[in-house]
């Protein structure tokens, strides 16, 4: 393995010496300079594997060097060193394409992790070359589709994977925001560390602080043992905050501090713990509007929204529906142990003409229902059921219990009917299917979905 070479740019001799010693102990060669102009010349003359630069220099600043490297040496990751409390400057560097930042006084453990992560990066993708289509790749990943919108999305994901900048992933429900987050993690330097997803809207507000930051035994009633929070679970890896707009304001304050200090304080603890996580967030809401309405803190919004990434809805890429449908049917057949499934041309035409308000998740549901409704391997147009959203459905929604969701109510009714049919036929599934007017495959699917043995 070739020895790595790092360029250190800092006008403080003590900092240069500290960085050089740390890098040499890691088996890494260093070249140091105290002048920005010399640094600009060096990156054009020699090949480096990483650049560590101070933000403020006598003859320039770190942002100037970040911009220069992004234009002329895109394969070279650059990390900035900034004074404690100057996180805004570091965020500006991340927006320009810096890999990461470290604050003074330098925490050597965090510095070593930053260096290790940066040196794992490979060659940067060309900004104007579309990535290989996943349908033709030996490693397709989750982001399927041949449309221009998906080509652009995959290119942005590949470039964001080379950074540690926080990313705000915007998109409608069902468009695949978590898949995008997982792909950024998979392609990045943290891929061998945990990816921890959390739905911010699914955690009771009174438990949020404990869930995020952990707690100590005895911190409150019911805290019978120490709890490791989500930040600690994701240490070294990626924490994905889905539906970030649902966070209550009280927790937003604590989350902002955790991001700025890169440290957390478990509930009931007297000391902070350093954490190293990359934050990816997602929401289907207009977060800028939430800020204007006072529902979301502006300072946290700017801290999370360093880079904004929009996932296109399915209706903006209808040419991808056929390849997505083929992939989904393949997954269904594998999961259920069926022969390969396919769509009649008329069925494909119906899918192509639908606008999919629920996006890819809705396409998956439609195809799964259709696979249940047919006995053979070919799905015809009549087997496709599209949800209706007329006045009758809206009025029906008004009668749903506040305590029990509609899906749960329907599932209980379905369970009761299935159990009654099985009891009446003495457990004979073929006879029960006939009694209910279902095919055997339909019955088997419904029993498996509801966990009925």
């Amino acid at each position: 393995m070739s020895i790595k070479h790092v360029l250190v740019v800092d006008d403080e001799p003590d900092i240069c010496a500290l960085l050089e010693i740390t890098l040499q102990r890691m088996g890494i060669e260093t070249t140091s300079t105290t002048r920005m102009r010399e640094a600009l010349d060096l990156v054009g003359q020699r090949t480096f594997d990483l650049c560590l630069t101070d933000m403020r220099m006598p003859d320039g600043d770190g942002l100037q060097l970040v911009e220069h490297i992004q234009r002329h040496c895109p394969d070279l990751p650059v990390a900035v060193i900034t004074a404690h409390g100057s996180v805004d400057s570091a965020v500006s560097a991340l927006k320009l394409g810096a890999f990461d930042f470290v604050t003074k006084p330098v925490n050597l453990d965090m510095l070593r992790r930053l260096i290790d992560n940066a040196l794992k990066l490979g060659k940067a993708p060309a900004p104007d070359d579309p990535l290989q289509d996943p349908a033709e790749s030996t490693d397709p990943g989750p982001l399927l589709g041949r449309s221009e919108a998906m080509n652009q999305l995959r290119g942005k994901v590949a470039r964001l994977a080379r950074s540690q900048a926080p990313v705000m992933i915007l998109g409608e429900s069902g468009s695949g925001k978590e898949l995008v987050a997982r792909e950024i993690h998979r392609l990045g330097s943290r891929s061998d560390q945990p990816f921890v997803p959390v739905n911010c809207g699914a955690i009771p507000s009174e438990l949020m602080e404990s869930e995020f930051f952990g707690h100590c035994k005895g911190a409150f009633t019911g805290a019978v043992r120490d709890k490791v929070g989500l930040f600690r679970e994701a240490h070294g890896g990626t924490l994905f905050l889905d539906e970030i707009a649902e966070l209550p304001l009280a927790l937003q304050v604590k989350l902002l501090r955790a991001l700025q200090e890169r440290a957390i304080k478990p509930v009931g603890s007297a000391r902070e713990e350093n954490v190293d996580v990359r934050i990816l967030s997602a929401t289907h809401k207009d977060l800028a509007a939430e800020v204007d309405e006072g529902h979301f803190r502006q300072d946290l919004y700017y801290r999370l929204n360093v880079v904004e990434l929009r996932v296109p809805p399915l209706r903006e890429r209808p040419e991808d529906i056929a390849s997505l449908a083929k992939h989904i049917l393949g997954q269904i057949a594998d999961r259920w142990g069926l022969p390969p499934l396919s769509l009649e041309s008329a069925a494909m035409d119906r899918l192509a003409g639908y606008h999919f308000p629920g996006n890819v998740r809705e396409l998956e549901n439609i195809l799964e229902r259709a696979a249940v409704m047919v006995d053979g391997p070919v799905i015809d147009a009549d087997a496709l059921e599209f949800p209706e959203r007329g006045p009758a459905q809206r009025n029906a929604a008004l009668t749903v219990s506040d305590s029990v969701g509609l899906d749960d109510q329907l599932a209980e009714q379905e369970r009761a009917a299935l159990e009654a049919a099985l009891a009446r036929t003495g457990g004979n599934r073929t006879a029960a299917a006939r009694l209910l007017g279902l095919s055997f495959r339909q019955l088997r699917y419904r029993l498996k979905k509801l966990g009925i043995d």
Side-chain angles (χ1 to χ4, degrees):
M1 182 181 295
S2 61
I3 297 176
K4 303 295 185 179
H5 195 171
V6 173
L7 173 63
V8 175
V9 185
D10 200 301
D11 64 326
E12 295 184 46
D14 290 345
I15 296 294
C16 278
L18 175 65
L19 296 176
E20 288 173 357
I21 293 170
T22 301
L23 289 161
Q24 289 167 4
R25 287 177 176 173
M26 297 173 69
I28 299 170
E29 291 185 355
T30 62
T31 296
S32 299
T33 178
T34 59
R35 295 291 174 180
M36 183 60 63
R37 185 166 300 281
E38 184 179 1
L40 293 170
D41 292 338
L42 282 169
V43 295
Q45 297 167 0
R46 302 184 60 178
T47 299
F48 296 98
D49 298 289
L50 171 65
C51 175
L52 295 172
T53 179
D54 192 12
M55 284 294 290
R56 297 188 181 280
M57 301 285 289
D59 59 338
D61 61 45
L63 296 181
Q64 177 186 357
L65 183 56
V66 171
E67 286 185 295
H68 179 86
I69 289 175
Q70 288 301 303
R71 284 197 307 268
H72 302 288
C73 310
D75 290 339
L76 174 60
V78 53
V80 298
I81 305 168
T82 184
H84 183 77
S86 300
V87 177
D88 289 345
S89 298
V91 170
S92 298
L94 292 174
K95 285 181 179 290
L96 290 174
F99 172 76
D100 204 351
F101 71 93
V102 63
T103 57
K104 297 177 181 178
V106 177
N107 181 301
L108 292 183
D109 286 337
M110 297 190 74
L111 175 64
R112 292 189 190 98
R113 282 195 293 269
L114 182 155
I115 293 168
D116 285 338
N117 285 331
L119 296 180
K120 291 177 184 177
L121 297 177
K123 184 177 175 60
D128 51 358
D129 288 344
L131 299 183
Q132 182 181 20
D133 185 78
E136 302 172 356
S137 172
T138 56
D139 181 18
L143 305 180
L144 303 178
R146 300 168 181 261
S147 63
E148 180 61 26
M150 288 306 294
N151 282 337
Q152 291 181 5
L153 178 63
R154 282 191 295 272
K156 291 175 182 176
V157 165
R159 287 189 287 277
L160 289 173
R162 294 180 54 80
S163 169
Q164 302 297 296
V167 179
M168 179 67 69
I169 305 172
L170 305 178
E172 299 176 3
S173 294
S175 58
K177 296 186 292 296
E178 182 171 341
L179 288 179
V180 169
R182 288 184 180 275
E183 188 70 348
I184 292 173
H185 174 78
R186 185 182 76 90
L187 296 176
S189 58
R190 297 174 180 261
S191 59
D192 57 344
Q193 298 298 318
F195 176 90
V196 179
V198 54
N199 186 330
C200 298
I203 304 175
S205 58
E206 64 273 13
L207 299 178
M208 276 193 169
E209 186 173 359
S210 171
E211 288 294 318
F212 275 85
F213 309 126
H215 65 247
C216 298
K217 179 180 178 180
F220 50 84
T221 303
V224 296
R225 63 178 64 87
D226 289 350
K227 177 182 175 62
V228 175
L230 294 165
F231 268 83
R232 181 56 61 183
E233 285 183 21
H235 182 65
T238 302
L239 181 60
F240 174 55
L241 305 177
D242 197 8
E243 299 303 343
I244 188 72
E246 304 303 322
L247 281 181
L249 287 169
L251 191 75
Q252 291 178 29
V253 177
K254 293 182 171 65
L255 177 59
L256 177 63
R257 176 172 175 77
L259 298 180
Q260 289 179 337
E261 303 298 326
R262 297 191 174 189
I264 60 169
K265 182 184 288 186
V267 179
S269 175
R271 62 183 182 85
E272 288 190 331
E273 302 174 3
N274 291 328
V275 288
D276 171 33
V277 297
R278 184 181 188 182
I279 300 293
L280 304 177
S281 309
T283 180
H284 70 279
K285 293 186 175 181
D286 183 345
L287 208 54
E290 294 290 305
V291 171
D292 291 340
E293 294 171 7
H295 300 152
F296 202 85
R297 292 181 61 96
Q298 186 177 55
D299 46 9
L300 179 59
Y301 170 71
Y302 287 125
R303 188 67 184 84
L304 293 171
N305 197 38
V306 173
V307 180
E308 189 172 284
L309 183 63
R310 178 177 177 271
V311 182
L314 189 53
R315 64 180 173 275
E316 291 184 6
R317 51 188 187 103
E319 61 268 46
D320 292 337
I321 292 175
S323 60
L324 285 169
K326 181 180 179 180
H327 176 76
I328 292 166
L329 289 175
Q331 289 182 321
I332 293 171
D334 289 343
R335 190 164 62 244
W336 296 356
L338 300 174
L341 298 169
S342 62
L343 287 164
E344 283 187 350
S345 58
M348 189 63 247
D349 290 342
R350 284 199 68 192
L351 288 177
Y354 184 59
H355 72 293
F356 288 102
N359 294 293
V360 179
R361 185 183 299 131
E362 185 177 13
L363 175 61
E364 292 174 344
N365 293 338
I366 289 171
L367 292 175
E368 189 169 271
R369 287 197 301 268
V372 171
M373 297 303 297
V374 298
D375 290 323
V378 179
I379 296 173
D380 57 26
D382 292 337
L384 298 176
E385 297 180 7
F386 297 98
E388 298 181 7
R389 292 175 172 81
Q393 285 71 30
R394 289 194 294 270
N395 292 337
L398 298 176
T399 66
V400 176
S401 167
D402 289 336
S403 58
V404 182
L406 178 59
D407 288 343
D408 292 335
Q409 294 185 47
L410 294 176
E412 286 305 312
Q413 293 177 14
E414 185 177 2
R415 179 187 298 276
L418 292 170
E419 290 176 343
L422 289 169
R424 184 173 173 181
T425 60
N428 186 315
R429 295 190 174 191
T430 302
R434 190 180 306 114
L435 182 65
L436 292 167
L438 301 173
S439 68
F440 183 76
R441 182 194 291 181
Q442 290 170 326
L443 178 69
R444 183 177 63 177
Y445 164 75
R446 292 168 188 264
L447 292 175
K448 182 177 180 181
K449 183 178 72 171
L450 295 173
I452 301 174
D453 295 329

